[in-house]
Amino acid sequence: MTDLIWERAEPPERRVPGRLSRVAIVRTALTLADADGLEAVSLRNVAGALDVGPMRLYRYVDTKDELLDLLVDAVYGEIPPATGSTWADVLRSIAHGTRGAALRHPWFAELLGGRPQFGPAALAHTEASLTALRTTGLEDVDLLMGSLGSLSSYVIGAVRKETTEHRAEQASGLNQREFQQLTGPYLVRMFATGHYPSLERSVREASHLTPSESFDLGLQLLVDGVAHRLGQ
């Protein structure tokens, strides 16, 4: 079985025809992904940006999937350690730290939600999160892992929604309010049919929260669910 990228030694540095390293490769790939999305990330494009032949990169990274794993781990390294004197505060800290990193790198959430991430930064993030939660008294393993899993699913979904809205705004040239003004007359006509009374009431009475307010509300509902399970 092929060894994982995390255990594979980096080849000896070659100063000629140019200095190259996994750090330089990942830094360049991050720049491409942040500027133009994951579609721009390929070994060929990274090699071009580094002004080296694509074959030289294969000494450091075997596949694009490995490169994406390295990118994900680099972003995990940006997430600050969780803080808080209560388990609820720790969960909020994890959520906001992850959301901040994902908004800085809009492609990040697209690569989460599948198999666990085992890069050193991802492992360190998980270890710190578990330790912080246990320190506040959340000891039951199933509830501990379930809380983190539910939190991760919520954050990924919320951030994906937020970044998708941003991409739609860029593609259409319409911000959210302008889009609502465009579609508003259609919804009024549909509501007038009387077929959607619950939806109409929700639209008319909703507070129309900002993305940050909406994120915090959903997060509070999740925290409330954990508290209920704990009998608090």
Side-chain angles (χ1 to χ4, degrees):
M1 180 179 293
T2 303
D3 56 341
L4 298 177
I5 185 68
W6 317 114
E7 298 178 302
R8 194 179 314 144
E10 188 161 333
E13 184 177 327
R14 292 172 53 184
R15 296 183 181 277
V16 180
R19 181 174 294 185
L20 194 61
S21 68
R22 283 198 188 120
V23 171
I25 291 170
V26 171
R27 187 183 300 118
T28 301
L30 276 172
T31 299
L32 291 173
D34 289 346
D36 300 310
L38 291 176
E39 300 80 9
V41 179
S42 68
L43 294 175
R44 181 172 296 278
N45 286 347
V46 173
L50 288 168
D51 196 25
V52 299
M55 294 306 297
R56 285 198 62 199
L57 264 63
Y58 286 105
R59 300 179 65 243
Y60 299 84
V61 182
D62 284 350
T63 65
K64 179 179 177 177
D65 285 340
E66 286 188 347
L67 180 57
L68 295 180
D69 285 340
L70 290 169
L71 287 182
V72 168
D73 205 56
V75 176
Y76 265 111
E78 296 181 10
I79 301 175
T83 59
S85 58
T86 68
W87 61 263
D89 287 340
V90 171
L91 288 179
R92 293 189 186 95
S93 175
I94 295 169
H96 283 288
T98 305
R99 176 176 179 258
L103 292 181
R104 289 192 300 273
H105 307 284
W107 49 268
F108 180 59
E110 298 178 35
L111 298 179
L112 300 181
R115 291 181 172 177
Q117 300 294 327
F118 292 134
L123 290 177
H125 170 74
T126 303
E127 175 66 19
S129 299
L130 289 170
T131 299
L133 287 170
R134 284 200 169 100
T135 299
T136 65
L138 193 60
E139 288 286 352
D140 182 274
V141 173
D142 290 336
L143 186 55
L144 188 65
M145 297 303 291
S147 298
L148 277 181
S150 297
L151 183 70
S152 176
S153 296
Y154 169 69
V155 173
I156 292 169
V159 170
R160 282 181 178 174
K161 182 178 183 297
E162 198 168 343
T163 54
T164 298
E165 166 62 30
H166 181 65
R167 284 196 293 269
E169 181 176 323
Q170 290 182 315
S172 67
L174 300 173
N175 61 32
Q176 189 174 53
R177 180 172 295 278
E178 291 169 337
F179 175 75
Q180 290 170 345
Q181 290 174 342
L182 178 67
T183 58
Y186 165 76
L187 285 178
V188 169
R189 291 193 296 272
M190 296 306 293
F191 291 157
T193 66
H195 296 321
Y196 313 100
S198 294
L199 178 59
E200 180 181 10
R201 180 180 177 184
S202 297
V203 170
R204 293 189 184 282
E205 296 181 6
S207 299
H208 301 293
L209 305 176
T210 67
S212 292
E213 292 170 338
S214 180
F215 183 84
D216 285 338
L217 175 59
L219 180 57
Q220 185 58 51
L221 293 174
L222 188 147
V223 169
D224 289 345
V226 177
H228 178 75
R229 186 65 180 268
L230 287 169
Q232 298 179 357

